[in-house]
């Protein structure tokens, strides 16, 4: 199963998606495109978002593998998260029966809760990546010698390790707290966004420090740190970029949305 939301022209601005669902006798006809859908090349079921032509609201639909008019292609030449087969989806007059329309998705607002939960999961993925890199680095700097001493004996190396461990401990506590709030049923989208943004930022810094500790060996896959370094980049960006998640949190804090630029007094030049 895979979830198809992002489109070629609508990534961060997902609520403006343009895939259309038109009502017909016995079901719906869907036309549009999706991009970056994870593992869609071998998924049997597609949970797909499309705009209802009658209400102009975003609805959810189940599209099954092999449906007439459904075309899936793998996105090639990825440098990171290569284990995930992201793909492009094209829907041309795809028929979806009425029973495959999701009754709980009647507007984009109904997707906010699952998207918030996904941000918690991405935050924990980041923590795991950072912990793995730290573990590898500890072993590496104890074994690797330069100037007749292990790298672990140098103060600059130790300072990086302290920063890495400090980040991991802080990330873990924020992730734990966020999970507790979610379990209580009181988590807001702003809290989820803040957690995802801050944790992935710290994880990105931690992995970068690990790459530095390995020097040239930090850019080859033999030591895995280089792979984690590449993988952390899309993790930092998907399920809401750092900037978009900050905007969601800021809106919750201030009550003022700044997603769209204010152009009333823009220069005519």
């Amino acid at each position: 199963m895979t979830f198809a939301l992002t489109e070629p022209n609508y990534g961060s601005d997902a609520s403006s998606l343009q895939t259309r669902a038109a009502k017909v006798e016995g079901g719906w006809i869907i036309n549009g495109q999706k991009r970056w859908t994870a593992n869609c090349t071998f998924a049997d079921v597609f949970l797909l978002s499309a705009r209802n032509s009658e209400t102009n609201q975003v609805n959810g639909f189940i599209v099954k593998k092999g449906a007439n008019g459904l075309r899936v292609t793998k996105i090639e030449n990825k440098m990171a998260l290569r284990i995930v087969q992201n793909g492009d989806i094209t829907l041309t007059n795809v028929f979806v029966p009425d029973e495959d329309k999701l009754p709980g998705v009647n507007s984009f607002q109904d997707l906010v809760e699952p998207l918030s939960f996904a941000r918690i999961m991405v935050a924990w993925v980041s923590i795991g990546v950072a912990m793995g890199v730290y573990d590898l680095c500890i072993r590496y700097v104890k074994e690797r010698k330069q100037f007749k001493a292990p790298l672990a004996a140098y103060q600059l190396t130790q300072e990086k390790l302290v920063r890495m461990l400090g980040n991991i401990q802080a990330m873990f506590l924020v992730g734990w707290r966020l999970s507790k709030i979610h379990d209580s049923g009181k988590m807001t989208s702003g809290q989820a966004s803040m957690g995802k943004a801050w944790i992935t930022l710290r994880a990105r810094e931690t992995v970068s420090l690990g790459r530095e500790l390995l020097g040239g060996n930090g850019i080859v896959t033999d030591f895995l740190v280089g792979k984690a370094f590449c993988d952390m980049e899309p993790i930092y960006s998907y399920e809401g970029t750092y900037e978009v998640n900050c905007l969601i949190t800021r809106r919750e804090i201030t009550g003022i949305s700044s997603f769209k630029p204010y152009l009333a007094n823009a220069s005519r030049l």
Side-chain angles (χ1 to χ4, degrees), residues 242-260:
Y242 176 82
E243 291 79 9
V244 166
N245 278 307
C246 284
L247 287 172
I248 293 171
T249 306
R250 292 168 190 167
R251 180 178 60 191
E252 192 167 289
I253 293 170
T254 65
I256 302 171
S257 177
S258 57
F259 275 91
K260 295 182 180 180

Side-chain angles (χ1 to χ4, degrees), residues 4-8 17 19 33-35 37 48-49 87-89:
L5 173 64
T6 300
E7 297 185 358
L17 62 87
T19 296
Q33 293 177 293
K34 298 294 179 180
R35 184 164 174 80
T37 308
L48 185 137
S49 54
D88 289 309
I89 300 173

Side-chain angles (χ1 to χ4, degrees), residues 115-116 119-120 178 187-200 239-242 244-252:
L115 288 174
S116 295
R119 285 167 181 148
I120 299 176
L178 197 58
M187 187 189 74
T188 66
S189 60
Q191 290 171 328
S193 289
M194 180 177 68
K196 193 273 178 179
W198 187 84
I199 289 173
T200 55
E239 295 302 341
T241 64
Y242 176 82
V244 166
N245 278 307
C246 284
L247 287 172
I248 293 171
T249 306
R250 292 168 190 167
R251 180 178 60 191
E252 192 167 289

Side-chain angles (χ1 to χ4, degrees), residues 93-115:
N93 295 324
V94 175
F95 176 76
V96 176
D98 282 327
E99 59 265 28
D100 287 342
K101 181 179 181 292
L102 299 175
V105 184
N106 299 305
S107 71
F108 189 82
Q109 192 63 32
D110 294 322
L111 297 176
V112 170
E113 184 175 348
L115 288 174

Side-chain angles (χ1 to χ4, degrees), residues 7-8 13 19 27 36 61 67 72 76-77 94-95 105 108 146 155 178 186 200 214 218 230 246:
E7 297 185 358
D13 189 15
T19 296
W36 295 113
F61 299 88
V72 178
E76 301 288 353
N77 304 319
V94 175
F95 176 76
V105 184
F108 189 82
Q146 291 293 295
Q155 291 183 16
L178 197 58
K186 298 178 180 179
T200 55
L214 266 68
C230 290
C246 284

Side-chain angles (χ1 to χ4, degrees), residues 158-168 205-206 209 212:
Q158 294 173 0
E159 188 272 342
K160 285 184 172 65
L161 291 172
V162 170
R163 285 168 62 191
M164 293 171 72
L165 183 59
N167 280 347
I168 291 168
E205 178 189 44
T206 302
L209 288 168
E212 289 180 28

Side-chain angles (χ1 to χ4, degrees), residues 205-243:
E205 178 189 44
T206 302
V207 172
S208 179
L209 288 168
R211 208 290 309 157
E212 289 180 28
L213 285 173
L214 266 68
N217 287 332
I219 63 168
V220 292
T221 57
D222 306 54
F223 295 88
L224 299 181
V225 172
K227 185 178 185 305
F229 180 76
C230 290
D231 286 348
M232 195 57 232
E233 288 302 301
I235 294 172
Y236 175 69
S237 294
Y238 76 76
E239 295 302 341
T241 64
Y242 176 82
E243 291 79 9

